[in-house]
Structures are given as C-alpha cells and as structure tokens.
C-alpha cells in the first residue's frame, strides 16, 4: 500500500522580504503523518503569474537581519 503525504508547507518565520523585485525568504514547516516528524526548510519564494510561485532552497545567512519581520 502506498500512502501519499499531502501535508502542505506552512510559513513559520519570514527572514527577508523585498518589494522590487518581489522576493521572500521564509522558514517553513510541514507536519507529516503521525509516524513522521515535523520537517523544516528555508526557501526563497518568487511570485509568478496568479497563484503560482517559484520556490527554491535558500541560505538565511545571506540576508540581513534588519529585514526580518
């Protein structure tokens, strides 16, 4: 039996946010099934057309702390 994990990534902490160009560095978490532990990741999110986003891994050390919110 194959079970697909359909848990979505939730924003936990915004590390950096810029308006021009629009980009956001976010720490996210995902609670999986009862048998798996919570997963964490830091990603760069760039909005595309409509509800679509481009998500790629990011290094939070590269972004200045004064932009944290």
């Amino acid at each position: 039996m194959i079970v697909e994990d359909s848990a979505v990534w939730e924003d936990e902490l915004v590390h950096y946010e810029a308006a021009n160009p629009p980009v956001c560095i976010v720490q996210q978490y995902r609670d999986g099934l009862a048998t798996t532990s919570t997963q964490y990741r830091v990603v760069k999110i760039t909005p595309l057309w409509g509800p679509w986003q481009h998500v790629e891994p990011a290094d939070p050390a590269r972004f200045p702390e004064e932009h944290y919110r």
Side-chain angles (χ1 to χ4, degrees):
M1 181 175 168
I2 298 174
V3 178
E4 183 179 335
D5 186 5
S6 61
V8 297
W9 289 98
E10 303 278 341
D11 292 351
E12 182 175 57
L13 174 68
V14 175
H15 286 278
Y16 177 81
E17 192 169 24
N20 194 11
V23 67
C24 197
I25 307 299
V26 180
Q27 178 176 325
Q28 297 180 327
Y29 72 94
R30 173 170 78 172
D31 287 325
L33 301 171
T35 57
T36 61
S37 60
T38 302
Q39 298 173 325
Y40 294 92
R41 70 180 185 176
V42 177
V43 293
K44 175 182 175 183
I45 300 174
T46 307
L48 298 174
W49 180 77
W52 302 102
Q53 300 175 337
H54 175 71
V55 179
E56 61 185 287
D59 179 11
R62 294 185 54 218
F63 301 93
E65 192 169 330
E66 63 266 14
H67 292 283
Y68 285 22
R69 79 171 160 118

Short mmCIF file of all heavy atoms in Angstrom, two decimals:
data_model
loop_
_atom_site.label_atom_id
_atom_site.label_comp_id
_atom_site.label_asym_id
_atom_site.label_seq_id
_atom_site.Cartn_x
_atom_site.Cartn_y
_atom_site.Cartn_z
N MET A 1 0.84 -1.18 0.00
CA MET A 1 0.00 0.00 0.00
C MET A 1 0.88 1.24 0.00
O MET A 1 1.81 1.36 0.79
CB MET A 1 -0.90 -0.01 1.23
CG MET A 1 -1.80 1.15 1.32
SD MET A 1 -2.89 0.91 2.74
CE MET A 1 -3.57 2.50 2.85
N ILE A 2 0.60 2.17 -0.88
CA ILE A 2 1.35 3.42 -0.96
C ILE A 2 0.47 4.54 -0.44
O ILE A 2 -0.67 4.70 -0.88
CB ILE A 2 1.79 3.72 -2.41
CG1 ILE A 2 2.71 2.61 -2.89
CG2 ILE A 2 2.46 5.06 -2.50
CD1 ILE A 2 3.07 2.73 -4.33
N VAL A 3 1.02 5.33 0.49
CA VAL A 3 0.28 6.45 1.06
C VAL A 3 1.02 7.73 0.69
O VAL A 3 2.20 7.87 0.96
CB VAL A 3 0.17 6.32 2.59
CG1 VAL A 3 -0.55 7.52 3.16
CG2 VAL A 3 -0.54 5.03 2.96
N GLU A 4 0.32 8.66 0.07
CA GLU A 4 0.92 9.92 -0.31
C GLU A 4 0.78 10.92 0.83
O GLU A 4 -0.29 11.08 1.39
CB GLU A 4 0.24 10.46 -1.56
CG GLU A 4 0.86 11.74 -2.06
CD GLU A 4 0.19 12.25 -3.31
OE1 GLU A 4 -0.40 11.46 -4.03
OE2 GLU A 4 0.26 13.46 -3.54
N ASP A 5 1.87 11.59 1.17
CA ASP A 5 1.84 12.61 2.22
C ASP A 5 1.37 13.91 1.59
O ASP A 5 2.05 14.50 0.77
CB ASP A 5 3.23 12.78 2.81
CG ASP A 5 3.24 13.72 4.00
OD1 ASP A 5 2.16 14.17 4.42
OD2 ASP A 5 4.33 13.99 4.51
N SER A 6 0.18 14.36 1.96
CA SER A 6 -0.40 15.55 1.34
C SER A 6 -0.30 16.79 2.23
O SER A 6 -1.00 17.77 2.00
CB SER A 6 -1.85 15.29 0.97
OG SER A 6 -2.59 14.99 2.13
N ALA A 7 0.55 16.76 3.24
CA ALA A 7 0.70 17.92 4.11
C ALA A 7 1.34 19.06 3.34
O ALA A 7 2.25 18.86 2.54
CB ALA A 7 1.56 17.56 5.32
N VAL A 8 0.86 20.28 3.57
CA VAL A 8 1.39 21.44 2.87
C VAL A 8 2.42 22.16 3.74
O VAL A 8 2.41 22.04 4.96
CB VAL A 8 0.26 22.42 2.48
CG1 VAL A 8 -0.70 21.78 1.51
CG2 VAL A 8 -0.48 22.91 3.71
N TRP A 9 3.31 22.90 3.10
CA TRP A 9 4.30 23.68 3.82
C TRP A 9 3.63 24.94 4.37
O TRP A 9 2.94 25.65 3.64
CB TRP A 9 5.46 24.05 2.90
CG TRP A 9 6.32 22.88 2.55
CD1 TRP A 9 6.27 22.14 1.42
CD2 TRP A 9 7.34 22.32 3.37
NE1 TRP A 9 7.21 21.15 1.47
CE2 TRP A 9 7.89 21.23 2.65
CE3 TRP A 9 7.86 22.61 4.62
CZ2 TRP A 9 8.93 20.45 3.15
CZ3 TRP A 9 8.90 21.84 5.11
CH2 TRP A 9 9.42 20.77 4.39
N GLU A 10 3.85 25.24 5.65
CA GLU A 10 3.29 26.41 6.32
C GLU A 10 4.42 27.38 6.65
O GLU A 10 5.49 26.96 7.11
CB GLU A 10 2.60 26.01 7.63
CG GLU A 10 1.51 24.99 7.46
CD GLU A 10 0.20 25.59 7.03
OE1 GLU A 10 0.02 26.81 7.19
OE2 GLU A 10 -0.63 24.84 6.50
N ASP A 11 4.19 28.70 6.46
CA ASP A 11 5.19 29.70 6.82
C ASP A 11 5.29 29.80 8.33
O ASP A 11 4.28 29.88 9.03
CB ASP A 11 4.82 31.07 6.25
CG ASP A 11 4.90 31.12 4.74
OD1 ASP A 11 5.42 30.15 4.14
OD2 ASP A 11 4.46 32.13 4.17
N GLU A 12 6.53 29.80 8.83
CA GLU A 12 6.76 29.93 10.26
C GLU A 12 7.43 31.25 10.59
O GLU A 12 7.08 31.90 11.57
CB GLU A 12 7.63 28.76 10.75
CG GLU A 12 7.89 28.78 12.23
CD GLU A 12 8.65 27.56 12.68
OE1 GLU A 12 9.76 27.33 12.15
OE2 GLU A 12 8.14 26.86 13.56
N LEU A 13 8.42 31.66 9.79
CA LEU A 13 9.17 32.88 10.06
C LEU A 13 9.62 33.47 8.73
O LEU A 13 10.21 32.78 7.90
CB LEU A 13 10.40 32.56 10.92
CG LEU A 13 11.38 33.69 11.17
CD1 LEU A 13 10.74 34.76 12.05
CD2 LEU A 13 12.63 33.17 11.84
N VAL A 14 9.34 34.77 8.53
CA VAL A 14 9.81 35.46 7.34
C VAL A 14 11.17 36.04 7.66
O VAL A 14 11.31 36.87 8.56
CB VAL A 14 8.83 36.58 6.91
CG1 VAL A 14 9.39 37.37 5.74
CG2 VAL A 14 7.47 36.00 6.57
N HIS A 15 12.21 35.59 6.94
CA HIS A 15 13.57 36.07 7.17
C HIS A 15 13.85 37.36 6.42
O HIS A 15 14.58 38.22 6.90
CB HIS A 15 14.59 35.01 6.72
CG HIS A 15 14.70 33.86 7.64
ND1 HIS A 15 15.45 33.88 8.78
CD2 HIS A 15 14.13 32.62 7.60
CE1 HIS A 15 15.36 32.72 9.39
NE2 HIS A 15 14.56 31.94 8.70
N TYR A 16 13.29 37.49 5.22
CA TYR A 16 13.59 38.64 4.37
C TYR A 16 12.43 38.85 3.42
O TYR A 16 11.84 37.90 2.94
CB TYR A 16 14.87 38.36 3.58
CG TYR A 16 15.26 39.43 2.60
CD1 TYR A 16 15.93 40.57 3.02
CD2 TYR A 16 14.96 39.30 1.25
CE1 TYR A 16 16.30 41.54 2.12
CE2 TYR A 16 15.33 40.27 0.34
CZ TYR A 16 16.01 41.39 0.78
OH TYR A 16 16.37 42.35 -0.11
N GLU A 17 12.12 40.13 3.15
CA GLU A 17 11.05 40.44 2.22
C GLU A 17 11.42 41.71 1.46
O GLU A 17 11.83 42.69 2.06
CB GLU A 17 9.74 40.64 2.98
CG GLU A 17 8.53 40.70 2.10
CD GLU A 17 7.25 40.64 2.92
OE1 GLU A 17 7.27 41.01 4.11
OE2 GLU A 17 6.22 40.21 2.36
N ALA A 18 11.33 41.66 0.14
CA ALA A 18 11.63 42.82 -0.70
C ALA A 18 10.48 43.02 -1.68
O ALA A 18 9.87 42.06 -2.14
CB ALA A 18 12.93 42.60 -1.46
N ALA A 19 10.21 44.29 -2.00
CA ALA A 19 9.10 44.61 -2.90
C ALA A 19 9.54 44.65 -4.36
O ALA A 19 8.77 44.32 -5.25
CB ALA A 19 8.48 45.94 -2.50
N ASN A 20 10.76 45.08 -4.62
CA ASN A 20 11.21 45.23 -6.00
C ASN A 20 12.62 44.70 -6.16
O ASN A 20 13.55 45.35 -5.71
CB ASN A 20 11.14 46.69 -6.43
CG ASN A 20 11.26 46.86 -7.92
OD1 ASN A 20 11.20 45.90 -8.67
ND2 ASN A 20 11.43 48.10 -8.33
N PRO A 21 12.84 43.57 -6.73
CA PRO A 21 11.86 42.62 -7.25
C PRO A 21 11.18 41.89 -6.09
O PRO A 21 11.78 41.72 -5.03
CB PRO A 21 12.71 41.65 -8.09
CG PRO A 21 14.04 41.67 -7.43
CD PRO A 21 14.22 43.08 -6.93
N PRO A 22 9.96 41.44 -6.30
CA PRO A 22 9.24 40.76 -5.21
C PRO A 22 9.88 39.42 -4.89
O PRO A 22 9.95 38.53 -5.74
CB PRO A 22 7.83 40.60 -5.76
CG PRO A 22 7.98 40.66 -7.23
CD PRO A 22 9.18 41.52 -7.51
N VAL A 23 10.38 39.30 -3.67
CA VAL A 23 11.01 38.06 -3.23
C VAL A 23 10.83 37.95 -1.72
O VAL A 23 10.73 38.95 -1.02
CB VAL A 23 12.50 38.00 -3.62
CG1 VAL A 23 13.30 39.05 -2.88
CG2 VAL A 23 13.08 36.63 -3.39
N CYS A 24 10.77 36.73 -1.24
CA CYS A 24 10.56 36.50 0.19
C CYS A 24 11.38 35.27 0.60
O CYS A 24 11.35 34.25 -0.09
CB CYS A 24 9.08 36.26 0.43
SG CYS A 24 8.57 36.42 2.12
N ILE A 25 12.14 35.38 1.69
CA ILE A 25 12.87 34.24 2.24
C ILE A 25 12.11 33.82 3.49
O ILE A 25 11.94 34.61 4.42
CB ILE A 25 14.33 34.61 2.60
CG1 ILE A 25 15.03 35.23 1.41
CG2 ILE A 25 15.06 33.39 3.13
CD1 ILE A 25 15.14 34.35 0.19
N VAL A 26 11.65 32.57 3.51
CA VAL A 26 10.73 32.11 4.55
C VAL A 26 11.20 30.78 5.13
O VAL A 26 11.63 29.89 4.39
CB VAL A 26 9.31 31.92 3.97
CG1 VAL A 26 8.34 31.45 5.02
CG2 VAL A 26 8.82 33.19 3.33
N GLN A 27 11.12 30.66 6.45
CA GLN A 27 11.31 29.36 7.09
C GLN A 27 9.94 28.71 7.14
O GLN A 27 8.97 29.33 7.58
CB GLN A 27 11.88 29.51 8.49
CG GLN A 27 12.04 28.18 9.19
CD GLN A 27 12.70 28.33 10.54
OE1 GLN A 27 13.57 29.17 10.73
NE2 GLN A 27 12.27 27.53 11.49
N GLN A 28 9.84 27.46 6.68
CA GLN A 28 8.56 26.77 6.63
C GLN A 28 8.66 25.44 7.38
O GLN A 28 9.75 24.92 7.57
CB GLN A 28 8.16 26.50 5.18
CG GLN A 28 7.92 27.74 4.37
CD GLN A 28 7.53 27.43 2.95
OE1 GLN A 28 7.97 26.45 2.37
NE2 GLN A 28 6.69 28.28 2.37
N TYR A 29 7.50 24.94 7.77
CA TYR A 29 7.43 23.62 8.40
C TYR A 29 6.28 22.84 7.79
O TYR A 29 5.37 23.39 7.20
CB TYR A 29 7.28 23.72 9.91
CG TYR A 29 5.91 24.19 10.35
CD1 TYR A 29 4.91 23.28 10.68
CD2 TYR A 29 5.61 25.55 10.42
CE1 TYR A 29 3.66 23.71 11.07
CE2 TYR A 29 4.36 25.98 10.81
CZ TYR A 29 3.39 25.06 11.13
OH TYR A 29 2.14 25.48 11.51
N ARG A 30 6.36 21.52 7.96
CA ARG A 30 5.31 20.64 7.47
C ARG A 30 5.17 19.48 8.43
O ARG A 30 6.14 18.80 8.74
CB ARG A 30 5.67 20.14 6.07
CG ARG A 30 4.73 19.10 5.54
CD ARG A 30 4.96 18.81 4.09
NE ARG A 30 6.13 17.95 3.91
CZ ARG A 30 6.47 17.42 2.74
NH1 ARG A 30 5.78 17.70 1.67
NH2 ARG A 30 7.51 16.66 2.65
N ASP A 31 3.95 19.29 8.94
CA ASP A 31 3.65 18.15 9.79
C ASP A 31 3.19 17.02 8.89
O ASP A 31 2.16 17.14 8.21
CB ASP A 31 2.56 18.48 10.81
CG ASP A 31 3.06 19.39 11.90
OD1 ASP A 31 4.24 19.25 12.28
OD2 ASP A 31 2.29 20.23 12.37
N GLY A 32 3.92 15.94 8.90
CA GLY A 32 3.57 14.81 8.05
C GLY A 32 2.58 13.90 8.73
O GLY A 32 1.75 14.32 9.55
N LEU A 33 2.67 12.65 8.40
CA LEU A 33 1.80 11.65 9.01
C LEU A 33 2.18 11.47 10.48
O LEU A 33 3.21 11.95 10.94
CB LEU A 33 1.95 10.33 8.26
CG LEU A 33 1.59 10.39 6.77
CD1 LEU A 33 1.98 9.09 6.09
CD2 LEU A 33 0.12 10.66 6.59
N ALA A 34 1.38 10.76 11.20
CA ALA A 34 1.63 10.54 12.63
C ALA A 34 2.95 9.81 12.88
O ALA A 34 3.54 9.94 13.95
CB ALA A 34 0.47 9.76 13.24
N THR A 35 3.42 9.06 11.91
CA THR A 35 4.66 8.31 12.08
C THR A 35 5.91 9.07 11.68
O THR A 35 7.01 8.59 11.88
CB THR A 35 4.60 7.01 11.25
OG1 THR A 35 4.38 7.36 9.88
CG2 THR A 35 3.48 6.10 11.73
N THR A 36 5.76 10.29 11.10
CA THR A 36 6.92 11.08 10.70
C THR A 36 7.01 12.34 11.55
O THR A 36 6.01 12.85 12.04
CB THR A 36 6.84 11.48 9.21
OG1 THR A 36 5.66 12.26 9.01
CG2 THR A 36 6.82 10.27 8.31
N SER A 37 8.22 12.84 11.69
CA SER A 37 8.41 14.05 12.48
C SER A 37 8.20 15.29 11.62
O SER A 37 8.15 15.22 10.39
CB SER A 37 9.81 14.06 13.08
OG SER A 37 10.77 14.04 12.05
N THR A 38 8.11 16.45 12.26
CA THR A 38 7.93 17.71 11.56
C THR A 38 9.18 18.02 10.74
O THR A 38 10.29 17.88 11.23
CB THR A 38 7.66 18.83 12.58
OG1 THR A 38 6.52 18.50 13.35
CG2 THR A 38 7.42 20.16 11.88
N GLN A 39 8.97 18.47 9.51
CA GLN A 39 10.08 18.84 8.63
C GLN A 39 10.17 20.35 8.54
O GLN A 39 9.15 21.04 8.58
CB GLN A 39 9.86 18.26 7.24
CG GLN A 39 9.80 16.76 7.20
CD GLN A 39 9.40 16.25 5.82
OE1 GLN A 39 8.62 16.87 5.13
NE2 GLN A 39 9.96 15.12 5.44
N TYR A 40 11.41 20.87 8.40
CA TYR A 40 11.64 22.30 8.27
C TYR A 40 12.48 22.57 7.03
O TYR A 40 13.26 21.73 6.62
CB TYR A 40 12.39 22.83 9.49
CG TYR A 40 11.58 22.76 10.75
CD1 TYR A 40 11.67 21.65 11.59
CD2 TYR A 40 10.72 23.79 11.11
CE1 TYR A 40 10.91 21.58 12.75
CE2 TYR A 40 9.96 23.72 12.27
CZ TYR A 40 10.07 22.61 13.08
OH TYR A 40 9.33 22.53 14.22
N ARG A 41 12.29 23.77 6.44
CA ARG A 41 13.11 24.19 5.32
C ARG A 41 13.11 25.72 5.25
O ARG A 41 12.21 26.38 5.77
CB ARG A 41 12.61 23.61 4.00
CG ARG A 41 11.28 24.18 3.54
CD ARG A 41 10.84 23.57 2.23
NE ARG A 41 9.62 24.21 1.74
CZ ARG A 41 9.04 23.92 0.59
NH1 ARG A 41 9.57 23.00 -0.20
NH2 ARG A 41 7.95 24.54 0.22
N VAL A 42 14.15 26.27 4.62
CA VAL A 42 14.22 27.70 4.34
C VAL A 42 14.25 27.84 2.83
O VAL A 42 15.09 27.23 2.17
CB VAL A 42 15.47 28.34 4.98
CG1 VAL A 42 15.56 29.81 4.61
CG2 VAL A 42 15.43 28.18 6.49
N VAL A 43 13.32 28.64 2.30
CA VAL A 43 13.18 28.76 0.86
C VAL A 43 13.06 30.22 0.42
O VAL A 43 12.66 31.09 1.19
CB VAL A 43 11.94 27.99 0.34
CG1 VAL A 43 12.12 26.50 0.52
CG2 VAL A 43 10.68 28.46 1.01
N LYS A 44 13.41 30.44 -0.84
CA LYS A 44 13.20 31.73 -1.49
C LYS A 44 11.95 31.59 -2.34
O LYS A 44 11.87 30.69 -3.18
CB LYS A 44 14.40 32.07 -2.37
CG LYS A 44 14.24 33.32 -3.18
CD LYS A 44 15.46 33.53 -4.05
CE LYS A 44 15.28 34.71 -4.98
NZ LYS A 44 16.44 34.85 -5.88
N ILE A 45 10.97 32.46 -2.12
CA ILE A 45 9.71 32.42 -2.85
C ILE A 45 9.61 33.65 -3.75
O ILE A 45 9.70 34.77 -3.28
CB ILE A 45 8.50 32.38 -1.89
CG1 ILE A 45 8.59 31.14 -1.01
CG2 ILE A 45 7.20 32.43 -2.66
CD1 ILE A 45 7.53 31.09 0.07
N THR A 46 9.44 33.39 -5.04
CA THR A 46 9.27 34.45 -6.02
C THR A 46 7.90 34.29 -6.66
O THR A 46 7.62 33.24 -7.24
CB THR A 46 10.36 34.37 -7.11
OG1 THR A 46 11.64 34.34 -6.47
CG2 THR A 46 10.28 35.55 -8.05
N PRO A 47 7.04 35.30 -6.55
CA PRO A 47 5.71 35.17 -7.15
C PRO A 47 5.81 35.15 -8.68
O PRO A 47 6.62 35.84 -9.28
CB PRO A 47 4.96 36.41 -6.67
CG PRO A 47 5.92 37.27 -5.99
CD PRO A 47 7.20 36.55 -5.84
N LEU A 48 4.98 34.33 -9.27
CA LEU A 48 4.85 34.26 -10.72
C LEU A 48 3.46 34.77 -11.08
O LEU A 48 2.92 35.60 -10.37
CB LEU A 48 5.07 32.82 -11.20
CG LEU A 48 6.44 32.22 -10.90
CD1 LEU A 48 6.48 30.76 -11.30
CD2 LEU A 48 7.54 32.99 -11.58
N TRP A 49 2.88 34.27 -12.10
CA TRP A 49 1.57 34.70 -12.53
C TRP A 49 0.48 34.09 -11.66
O TRP A 49 0.49 32.89 -11.38
CB TRP A 49 1.38 34.30 -13.99
CG TRP A 49 0.07 34.69 -14.55
CD1 TRP A 49 -0.32 35.93 -14.94
CD2 TRP A 49 -1.04 33.84 -14.77
NE1 TRP A 49 -1.61 35.91 -15.39
CE2 TRP A 49 -2.08 34.63 -15.30
CE3 TRP A 49 -1.28 32.49 -14.56
CZ2 TRP A 49 -3.32 34.11 -15.62
CZ3 TRP A 49 -2.52 31.98 -14.89
CH2 TRP A 49 -3.52 32.79 -15.42
N GLY A 50 -0.47 34.90 -11.20
CA GLY A 50 -1.62 34.41 -10.43
C GLY A 50 -1.20 33.75 -9.12
O GLY A 50 -0.38 34.28 -8.39
N PRO A 51 -1.72 32.55 -8.84
CA PRO A 51 -1.40 31.89 -7.57
C PRO A 51 -0.08 31.11 -7.61
O PRO A 51 0.31 30.53 -6.61
CB PRO A 51 -2.57 30.92 -7.39
CG PRO A 51 -2.96 30.57 -8.79
CD PRO A 51 -2.75 31.84 -9.59
N TRP A 52 0.62 31.12 -8.73
CA TRP A 52 1.84 30.33 -8.87
C TRP A 52 3.03 31.03 -8.25
O TRP A 52 3.15 32.25 -8.27
CB TRP A 52 2.11 30.05 -10.35
CG TRP A 52 0.98 29.34 -11.00
CD1 TRP A 52 0.03 29.89 -11.81
CD2 TRP A 52 0.63 27.97 -10.86
NE1 TRP A 52 -0.87 28.94 -12.19
CE2 TRP A 52 -0.53 27.75 -11.62
CE3 TRP A 52 1.19 26.90 -10.17
CZ2 TRP A 52 -1.13 26.50 -11.71
CZ3 TRP A 52 0.58 25.67 -10.27
CH2 TRP A 52 -0.56 25.48 -11.02
N GLN A 53 3.94 30.21 -7.70
CA GLN A 53 5.16 30.71 -7.08
C GLN A 53 6.33 29.83 -7.49
O GLN A 53 6.17 28.63 -7.70
CB GLN A 53 5.07 30.66 -5.55
CG GLN A 53 3.97 31.47 -4.96
CD GLN A 53 3.88 31.27 -3.45
OE1 GLN A 53 4.32 30.28 -2.91
NE2 GLN A 53 3.30 32.24 -2.79
N HIS A 54 7.51 30.45 -7.57
CA HIS A 54 8.73 29.69 -7.78
C HIS A 54 9.39 29.55 -6.41
O HIS A 54 9.66 30.55 -5.75
CB HIS A 54 9.66 30.41 -8.76
CG HIS A 54 10.97 29.73 -8.93
ND1 HIS A 54 11.10 28.54 -9.60
CD2 HIS A 54 12.20 30.04 -8.48
CE1 HIS A 54 12.35 28.16 -9.58
NE2 HIS A 54 13.04 29.06 -8.90
N VAL A 55 9.64 28.32 -5.98
CA VAL A 55 10.22 28.05 -4.67
C VAL A 55 11.54 27.34 -4.87
O VAL A 55 11.62 26.34 -5.59
CB VAL A 55 9.27 27.18 -3.81
CG1 VAL A 55 9.88 26.88 -2.46
CG2 VAL A 55 7.94 27.87 -3.64
N GLU A 56 12.61 27.87 -4.21
CA GLU A 56 13.92 27.23 -4.29
C GLU A 56 14.61 27.33 -2.93
O GLU A 56 14.32 28.23 -2.15
CB GLU A 56 14.77 27.88 -5.38
CG GLU A 56 15.05 29.35 -5.15
CD GLU A 56 15.78 30.00 -6.30
OE1 GLU A 56 16.99 29.73 -6.45
OE2 GLU A 56 15.15 30.75 -7.05
N PRO A 57 15.50 26.40 -2.61
CA PRO A 57 16.21 26.43 -1.33
C PRO A 57 16.99 27.74 -1.18
O PRO A 57 17.50 28.29 -2.16
CB PRO A 57 17.15 25.24 -1.40
CG PRO A 57 16.59 24.36 -2.46
CD PRO A 57 15.88 25.25 -3.42
N ALA A 58 17.11 28.22 0.06
CA ALA A 58 17.82 29.47 0.32
C ALA A 58 18.66 29.35 1.58
O ALA A 58 18.35 28.56 2.47
CB ALA A 58 16.83 30.61 0.48
N ASP A 59 19.71 30.15 1.65
CA ASP A 59 20.58 30.22 2.83
C ASP A 59 20.21 31.47 3.61
O ASP A 59 20.47 32.59 3.15
CB ASP A 59 22.04 30.27 2.39
CG ASP A 59 23.00 30.36 3.56
OD1 ASP A 59 22.56 30.17 4.72
OD2 ASP A 59 24.19 30.61 3.32
N PRO A 60 19.59 31.36 4.80
CA PRO A 60 19.13 32.54 5.54
C PRO A 60 20.29 33.43 6.00
O PRO A 60 20.08 34.59 6.29
CB PRO A 60 18.37 31.96 6.72
CG PRO A 60 18.91 30.59 6.89
CD PRO A 60 19.29 30.11 5.52
N ALA A 61 21.51 32.91 6.05
CA ALA A 61 22.65 33.71 6.50
C ALA A 61 23.00 34.81 5.49
O ALA A 61 23.69 35.76 5.84
CB ALA A 61 23.84 32.80 6.72
N ARG A 62 22.51 34.70 4.27
CA ARG A 62 22.83 35.68 3.24
C ARG A 62 21.95 36.92 3.28
O ARG A 62 22.16 37.86 2.52
CB ARG A 62 22.70 35.04 1.86
CG ARG A 62 23.71 33.96 1.60
CD ARG A 62 23.65 33.43 0.19
NE ARG A 62 23.77 34.53 -0.75
CZ ARG A 62 23.09 34.61 -1.88
NH1 ARG A 62 22.26 33.67 -2.23
NH2 ARG A 62 23.25 35.64 -2.70
N PHE A 63 20.96 36.97 4.16
CA PHE A 63 20.01 38.07 4.16
C PHE A 63 20.09 38.83 5.47
O PHE A 63 20.09 38.24 6.55
CB PHE A 63 18.60 37.54 3.91
CG PHE A 63 18.51 36.82 2.60
CD1 PHE A 63 18.69 35.45 2.53
CD2 PHE A 63 18.33 37.53 1.43
CE1 PHE A 63 18.66 34.80 1.32
CE2 PHE A 63 18.30 36.89 0.22
CZ PHE A 63 18.47 35.51 0.16
N PRO A 64 20.17 40.17 5.42
CA PRO A 64 20.37 40.98 6.63
C PRO A 64 19.21 40.88 7.61
O PRO A 64 18.05 40.85 7.23
CB PRO A 64 20.50 42.41 6.09
CG PRO A 64 20.14 42.37 4.66
CD PRO A 64 20.07 40.96 4.21
N GLU A 65 19.56 40.83 8.88
CA GLU A 65 18.57 40.64 9.94
C GLU A 65 17.61 41.83 10.07
O GLU A 65 16.48 41.68 10.53
CB GLU A 65 19.26 40.41 11.28
CG GLU A 65 18.35 39.91 12.35
CD GLU A 65 19.07 39.44 13.58
OE1 GLU A 65 20.21 38.97 13.45
OE2 GLU A 65 18.50 39.54 14.67
N GLU A 66 18.01 43.03 9.63
CA GLU A 66 17.12 44.18 9.75
C GLU A 66 15.88 44.06 8.87
O GLU A 66 14.91 44.78 9.03
CB GLU A 66 17.84 45.50 9.44
CG GLU A 66 18.37 45.62 8.04
CD GLU A 66 19.83 45.20 7.90
OE1 GLU A 66 20.36 44.57 8.83
OE2 GLU A 66 20.43 45.50 6.87
N HIS A 67 15.88 43.12 7.93
CA HIS A 67 14.71 42.91 7.08
C HIS A 67 13.76 41.85 7.64
O HIS A 67 12.74 41.59 7.05
CB HIS A 67 15.14 42.51 5.67
CG HIS A 67 15.84 43.61 4.95
ND1 HIS A 67 15.17 44.67 4.39
CD2 HIS A 67 17.15 43.83 4.72
CE1 HIS A 67 16.03 45.48 3.83
NE2 HIS A 67 17.24 45.00 4.01
N TYR A 68 14.13 41.22 8.77
CA TYR A 68 13.25 40.21 9.36
C TYR A 68 11.98 40.89 9.80
O TYR A 68 11.95 42.03 10.19
CB TYR A 68 13.90 39.57 10.59
CG TYR A 68 14.98 38.56 10.29
CD1 TYR A 68 15.68 38.56 9.11
CD2 TYR A 68 15.32 37.62 11.24
CE1 TYR A 68 16.68 37.64 8.86
CE2 TYR A 68 16.33 36.70 11.00
CZ TYR A 68 17.01 36.72 9.81
OH TYR A 68 18.00 35.82 9.56
N ARG A 69 10.87 40.15 9.73
CA ARG A 69 9.62 40.71 10.27
C ARG A 69 8.93 39.67 11.09
O ARG A 69 9.15 38.52 11.04
CB ARG A 69 8.72 41.23 9.16
CG ARG A 69 7.95 40.18 8.42
CD ARG A 69 6.94 40.79 7.49
NE ARG A 69 6.61 39.77 6.53
CZ ARG A 69 5.40 39.26 6.39
NH1 ARG A 69 4.43 39.70 7.11
NH2 ARG A 69 5.18 38.31 5.54
#
